[in-house]
Amino acid sequence: MSGVQMVTVTEAEGEQRLDRWMKKRFAQLTQGAVEKMCRTGQVRVDGARAKASDRIAPGMVVRVPPLPDAPPPPRTDYGITADDARMIQDCVVFMDQHLIVLNKPAGLPSQGGSGLDHRHVDGLTPALTFGYKEKPKLVHRLDKDTSGLLVLARTDRVARALSEAFRHRNTRKIYWAAVAGVPNPKMGSIKFALMKAPGHGKAGEGEKMVCIHPAKMNDYPDAKRAHTDYSVMEILGARVSWVGLAPITGRTHQLRAHMAELGHPIIGDGKYGGSGQENLGDGWGSQLGGEISRKLHLHARLLSFEHPITKKMMTFTAPLPDHMAKTWKTLGWEVNSVPPDPFNLEDWPGVTGPRGRG
């Protein structure tokens, strides 16, 4: 048994319910034990009796009565191999005491699903604790075959703040993609709503989204508004384009479904751009053939957001994955030939309106 403790709530723990705070601090406690200690006055906050449901905030002092010994420490390896631990740690592009930014490789899911084991970002987070008691938490996701920037929060407080920022679009996300054909106009917006196609597995196997014209949304109660801005940055004849994509909303498969609906599926997208699909890519569908990889050519290139604690603007860019870098080299596209934000016309020298280079 421990003795009486006077514990100060830290800034990192943020504002939360007393019972949740106690169970995180003291793993041996059950909900029933916390409620009993509050009901009998053994737990006090700033000297006053408190209910289990009361909210506490940083700086408050909690009196914790003698507690039973803690159980053995939780398992930390989670079956993660040394190679996988090293792989996910090598993906880190930024880390401070509040958050971690990864450059997720293509082919690695963000979370588990049907038929998946722990080999996804969420399942590998025990390798990203770096001395913290709790695993970092995903605050948004990328499709399995989409590479690029992904943010994890190291504390509950930061997770809540970042989740709110992503939910209310207080972030700037720019993706790079290679698409079949050349969109016209070369800068524009796609505002088709999205709805899950019927007939897929209970766990989402084979999940696919269908586009609904905004004027017909009332006919489809399950359709959700979706908005993507696009900007053509380089072209190769009429065959393929390098586009920047900015998702204003964050729907499942949004960028892939929107580009396919526009008639310019993303290269390597067998789900939304198979060669049998009608498109404006000169009959090439989502495959270019030759030395071009059949993997999905979609990469979360730039991410900008306000740091939830320091309030400083943070901007990150991630290099292209190997298969896209090889395609760019094959097509003669230079990564540094375009501005970080292709939607800012002032960053394109001598350009005063929507344009496409090449």
Side-chain angles (χ1 to χ4, degrees), residues 37-346:
M37 287 186 290
C38 290
R39 189 168 58 249
T40 56
Q42 298 178 71
V43 173
R44 293 176 178 263
V45 177
D46 288 344
R49 294 177 70 111
K51 297 178 182 178
S53 59
D54 286 350
R55 300 193 72 81
I56 57 174
M60 291 183 173
V61 177
V62 181
R63 178 194 185 276
V64 180
L67 301 176
D69 293 334
R75 178 181 174 184
T76 57
D77 63 348
Y78 290 86
I80 298 172
T81 66
D83 286 344
D84 279 347
R86 186 162 45 250
M87 178 275 295
I88 198 67
Q89 290 168 0
D90 287 344
C91 293
V92 175
V93 297
F94 174 83
M95 178 176 66
D96 64 11
Q97 61 184 315
H98 307 292
L99 56 88
I100 296 173
V101 181
L102 302 178
N103 181 14
K104 185 187 83 66
L108 182 68
S110 294
Q111 290 181 302
S114 176
L116 296 176
D117 56 15
H118 67 272
R119 202 175 190 281
H120 45 80
V121 175
D122 196 39
L124 295 174
T125 52
L128 298 174
T129 54
F130 299 110
Y132 272 45
K133 179 181 176 181
E134 295 187 14
K135 300 177 292 183
K137 302 167 182 63
L138 284 169
V139 295
H140 65 123
R141 293 174 296 279
L142 294 176
D143 289 350
K144 173 184 175 181
D145 294 319
T146 302
S147 58
L149 295 166
L150 193 63
V151 182
L152 297 90
R154 304 189 72 187
T155 66
D156 288 342
R157 177 190 180 190
V158 172
R160 289 191 295 271
L162 286 173
S163 295
E164 283 295 307
F166 277 86
R167 187 178 304 116
H168 293 98
R169 309 170 195 170
N170 296 327
T171 58
R172 182 64 166 164
K173 293 181 285 186
I174 294 176
Y175 292 68
W176 282 1
V179 305
V182 182
N184 183 31
K186 294 179 180 175
M187 182 180 285
S189 296
I190 310 166
K191 296 184 179 180
F192 277 79
L194 292 172
M195 181 178 70
K196 187 181 296 186
H200 296 292
K202 294 180 180 179
E205 308 96 309
E207 182 179 31
K208 187 172 182 179
M209 310 301 288
V210 294
C211 289
I212 306 296
H213 192 283
K216 297 183 178 180
M217 278 194 64
N218 290 338
D219 298 332
Y220 299 92
D222 294 333
K224 296 181 179 180
R225 296 187 183 278
H227 179 179
T228 300
D229 290 338
Y230 72 88
S231 175
V232 176
M233 299 189 286
E234 296 278 5
I235 64 175
L236 183 65
R239 190 177 181 190
V240 61
S241 303
W242 169 9
V243 299
L245 299 170
I248 307 305
T249 54
R251 309 301 184 195
T252 299
H253 299 173
Q254 176 176 315
L255 303 182
R256 298 164 63 186
H258 270 176
M259 291 311 297
E261 184 68 23
L262 197 64
H264 302 282
I266 296 173
I267 302 303
D269 193 348
K271 177 171 288 191
Y272 290 95
S275 58
Q277 173 179 328
E278 287 190 17
N279 63 78
L280 304 180
D282 198 23
W284 286 92
S286 67
Q287 304 301 332
L288 290 179
E291 298 182 2
I292 304 303
S293 171
R294 295 173 66 89
K295 293 182 179 179
L296 184 68
H297 284 57
L298 180 62
H299 177 66
R301 167 67 176 180
L302 180 145
L303 179 62
S304 182
F305 59 91
E306 182 183 84
H307 193 290
I309 304 301
T310 67
K311 303 304 179 183
K312 293 182 179 179
M313 286 303 300
M314 312 283 288
T315 299
F316 303 95
T317 58
L320 289 172
D322 290 345
H323 72 282
M324 289 181 66
K326 183 178 179 181
T327 296
W328 261 234
K329 183 177 180 179
T330 300
L331 300 179
W333 292 342
E334 295 290 338
V335 168
N336 295 323
S337 67
V338 300
D341 189 336
F343 300 90
N344 186 354
L345 294 180
E346 295 179 357

